């Protein structure tokens, strides 16, 4: 039964089952708050929406009612809509409050402790995490009055998300755009995870993607890894509150709560992993590191015309095995090392040999030639092996689920000796 429970992951999303108050204020980007509410509901959160009067000029409370299945709050003097529940009760029983979009006006109210509408009142009355996503014209944002208010709120522990650069409603391009709704929801997710997640005190280093070993300035020796497994581990660890560094070869937008360290070659990956591991608790080597690299890298592009040969040979030399070369003992204690074995044949025998060679606590083996496993797909079918002889074959699962199982196996090993 113990084996079953390890992959019967219930919902690990930190938003699941949480009670979120979403404050919406009178910005042209109000319509994006519908998307935010929808994403929160889809993540399993209970969402109570509070709108300012100005917000209702832009969007109807009905739209939020339809999405959240709960009656939005607008009039703080009307206590009939929710069995007489007041703003104070709402502020007390929520797990976090998010105001998105946040206008310059409500920002100023929060800064000065004013409480003359439902949104400002609830924000003042709550002692739970408060996150705000401002949206306004650039001139309003950079105005010293607004910046002073931002400083005030930051000093009081309010988390300011954005705003981002881009095209504004005025047609101008500049700072002031509401941060992308998915990113806003991710920031809230990470904030809750840091407070509640089982990996919250830990630092996890993950590698993602395949390395590129230069032949000349334009060509390289590479592999088919897309980094999906590595990023699934990074996101799962982030969602459980860990501080996460991804040493990656993949060009992706940075995600909330995940520190991206971009590298290209095996040598660069080794250097970055070494540095990050000095203060880490767990290293998961999900990246596909080249075993060999060209011995000589040409300074200039190798020209076809320069050679009349119909073939050419590139001599390769072995790269350093990253996980094997990382010390178990680091500045902050023992590092748990998790290796990956991507194989196309003799999966288990090859993986078992690698456990010892790499000094890993356990190894995650997958057959990258199978259709629902390996590179570029969102699922994986893995077998986990450790030095004690344990061999655990998991069914086909999403990479996120596999990631959670790996993290749950690593967690008890942290500081275990
Ligand atoms: C079309 C239109 C768009 C607006 N967009 C914004 C905006 O993006 N950000 C902002 O701070 N104010 C914006 N305002 C001004 C606010 O609606 C106004 O300051 C209002 O008092 C804000 O009230 P509230 O913070 O209580 O919602 C806009 C006004 C109009 C008419």
């Amino acid at each position: 039964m113990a084996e079953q429970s390890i992959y019967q992951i219930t919902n690990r999303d930190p938003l699941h089952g949480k009670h979120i108050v979403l404050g919406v204020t009178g910005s042209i980007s109000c319509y994006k708050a519908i998307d935010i509410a929808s994403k929160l509901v889809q993540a399993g959160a209970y969402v109570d929406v509070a709108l300012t009067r100005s917000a209702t000029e832009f969007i109807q409370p009905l739209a939020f009612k339809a999405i959240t299945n709960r009656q939005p709050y607008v009039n703080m003097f009307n206590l009939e809509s929710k069995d007489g529940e007041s703003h104070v009760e709402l502020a007390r029983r929520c797990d976090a409050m998010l105001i998105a979009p946040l206008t310059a006006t409500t920002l100023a109210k929060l800064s000065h402790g004013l409480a003359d509408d439902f949104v400002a009142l609830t924000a003042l009355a709550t002692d739970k995490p408060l996150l705000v996503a401002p949206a306004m014209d650039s001139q309003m944002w950079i105005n010293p009055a607004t910046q002073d208010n931002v400083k005030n709120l930051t000093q009081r522990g309010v988390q300011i998300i954005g705003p981002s650069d881009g095209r504004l409603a005025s047609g101008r391009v500049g700072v002031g755009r509401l941060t992308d709704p998915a990113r806003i929801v991710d920031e809230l997710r990470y904030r809750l995870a840091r407070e509640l997640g089982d990996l919250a005190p830990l630092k996890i280093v993950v590698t993602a993607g395949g390395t590129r070993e230069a032949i000349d300035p334009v060509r390289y020796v590479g592999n088919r890894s897309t980094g999906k497994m590595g990023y699934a581990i990074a996101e799962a660890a982030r969602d459980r509150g860990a501080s996460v560094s991804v040493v990656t070869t993949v060009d992706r937008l940075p995600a909330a709560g995940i520190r991206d360290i971009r590298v290209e070659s095996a040598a660069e990956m080794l250097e970055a992993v070494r540095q990050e591991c000095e203060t880490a608790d767990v290293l998961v080597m999900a990246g596909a590191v080249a075993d060999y690299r060209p011995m000589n890298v040409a300074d200039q592009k190798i020209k076809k015309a320069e050679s009349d040969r119909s073939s050419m040979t590139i001599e390769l030399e072995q790269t350093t095995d990253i996980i094997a070369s990382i010390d178990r003992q680091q500045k902050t204690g023992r590092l748990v090392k998790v290796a990956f074995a991507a194989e196309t044949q003799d999966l288990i025998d090859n993986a078992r040999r690698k456990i010892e060679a790499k000094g890993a606590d356990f190894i995650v083996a997958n057959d990258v030639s199978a259709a629902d496993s390996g590179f570029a797909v969102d699922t994986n079918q893995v077998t986990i092996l450790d030095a004690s002889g344990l061999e655990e074959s998991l069914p086909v699962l999403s990479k996120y689920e596999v990631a959670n199982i790996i993290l749950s196996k690593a967690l008890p090993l942290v500081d275990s000796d």
Side-chain angles (χ1 to χ4, degrees):
M1 284 318 284
E3 268 162 50
Q4 233 187 9
S5 65
I6 200 165
Y7 58 78
Q8 278 179 345
I9 302 282
T10 48
N11 204 315
R12 290 273 188 194
D13 192 325
L15 286 165
H16 188 82
K18 296 298 180 311
H19 181 198
I20 307 300
V21 176
L22 173 61
V24 181
T25 66
S27 155
I28 191 69
S29 60
C30 263
Y31 69 96
K32 294 182 185 170
I34 294 281
D35 191 18
I36 294 172
S38 169
K39 284 183 162 60
L40 293 172
V41 170
Q42 284 175 50
Y46 302 103
V47 184
D48 275 312
V49 178
L51 296 100
T52 61
R53 288 266 173 229
S54 307
T56 64
E57 297 285 337
F58 294 87
I59 196 154
Q60 288 293 312
L62 178 66
F64 291 102
K65 168 120 198 264
I67 295 280
T68 63
N69 212 14
R70 294 157 88 90
Q71 187 66 44
Y73 295 81
V74 179
N75 181 355
M76 65 179 170
F77 299 110
N78 173 12
L79 300 182
E80 280 164 24
S81 59
K82 282 247 177 137
D83 302 326
E85 181 177 65
S86 73
H87 63 279
V88 180
E89 282 155 81
L90 192 62
R92 201 167 288 145
R93 78 179 158 83
C94 72
D95 293 292
M97 181 171 184
L98 167 69
I99 307 181
L102 174 71
T103 58
T105 300
T106 301
L107 177 60
K109 282 188 194 176
L110 300 184
S111 166
H112 291 91
L114 299 182
D116 63 351
D117 64 49
F118 215 111
V119 174
L121 192 61
T122 313
L124 194 64
T126 192
D127 59 356
K128 302 295 168 41
L130 176 59
L131 296 84
V132 298
M136 63 196 73
D137 187 69
S138 307
Q139 287 307 320
M140 291 168 77
W141 174 252
I142 62 173
N143 190 301
T146 303
Q147 286 304 308
D148 282 352
N149 291 331
V150 169
K151 212 177 294 163
N152 249 343
L153 293 184
T154 307
Q155 277 165 2
R156 286 183 215 144
V158 176
Q159 185 175 334
I160 317 279
I161 305 168
S164 52
D165 280 306
R167 191 184 178 281
L168 303 167
S170 61
R172 279 185 293 190
V173 173
V175 64
R177 217 177 132 80
L178 183 73
T179 297
D180 175 56
R183 175 75 193 227
I184 292 174
V185 171
D186 251 9
E187 291 286 357
L188 176 59
R189 184 174 268 130
Y190 184 53
R191 178 69 184 263
L192 289 172
R194 295 293 286 172
E195 315 236 329
L196 308 165
D198 61 344
L199 303 180
L202 302 185
K203 176 177 173 186
I204 303 209
V205 179
V206 188
T207 59
T211 60
R212 294 173 169 192
E213 308 303 326
I215 296 169
D216 66 19
V218 296
R219 302 183 183 93
Y220 60 84
V221 179
N223 62 66
R224 294 184 195 279
S225 171
T226 57
K228 282 193 171 202
M229 191 64 235
Y231 274 92
I233 295 165
E235 279 166 23
R238 182 272 316 272
D239 291 350
R240 290 167 69 170
S243 151
V244 184
S245 294
V246 185
V247 179
T248 178
T249 61
V250 184
D251 199 7
R252 272 178 53 141
L253 282 177
I258 297 176
R259 198 166 101 82
D260 272 298
I261 299 146
R262 284 293 307 275
V263 295
E264 196 167 284
S265 65
E268 285 172 15
M269 189 174 268
L270 171 65
E271 193 41 45
V273 167
R274 203 169 261 161
Q275 270 181 28
E276 285 300 309
C277 280
E278 283 180 3
T279 51
D281 300 285
V282 180
L283 165 65
V284 186
M285 280 296 302
V289 186
D291 293 325
Y292 290 88
R293 65 170 172 226
M295 214 155 174
N296 300 303
V297 181
D299 291 341
Q300 304 297 330
K301 184 183 169 200
I302 300 169
K303 291 246 180 355
K304 193 176 168 188
E306 276 174 12
S307 141
D308 357 315
R309 294 168 301 181
S310 61
S311 66
M312 72 179 283
T313 303
I314 298 171
E315 203 172 345
L316 302 174
E317 63 181 1
Q318 216 169 45
T319 58
T320 306
D321 187 323
I322 298 179
I323 191 162
S325 76
I326 299 290
D327 274 352
R328 269 175 185 283
Q329 204 52 44
Q330 296 288 335
K331 280 182 190 158
T332 46
R334 183 173 105 75
L335 178 74
V336 175
K337 299 202 291 181
V338 181
F340 264 72
E343 304 287 347
T344 56
Q345 58 184 359
D346 302 328
L347 179 68
I348 303 301
D349 286 348
N350 284 331
R352 191 160 289 296
R353 262 195 301 279
K354 283 183 181 172
I355 299 176
E356 209 173 324
K358 292 176 182 289
D361 288 85
F362 61 90
I363 193 158
V364 183
N366 64 328
D367 180 349
V368 286
S369 60
D372 45 15
S373 240
F375 304 137
V377 291
D378 292 321
T379 54
N380 212 351
Q381 212 238 299
V382 304
T383 301
I384 298 178
L385 304 103
D386 73 12
S388 76
L390 170 128
E391 185 181 315
E392 192 172 11
S393 287
L394 302 177
V396 175
L397 295 168
S398 72
K399 285 188 171 169
Y400 187 82
E401 286 171 304
V402 172
N404 269 311
I405 292 167
I406 293 168
L407 294 168
S408 292
K409 281 197 98 56
L411 181 58
L413 303 175
V414 174
D415 286 334
S416 62
D417 56 28

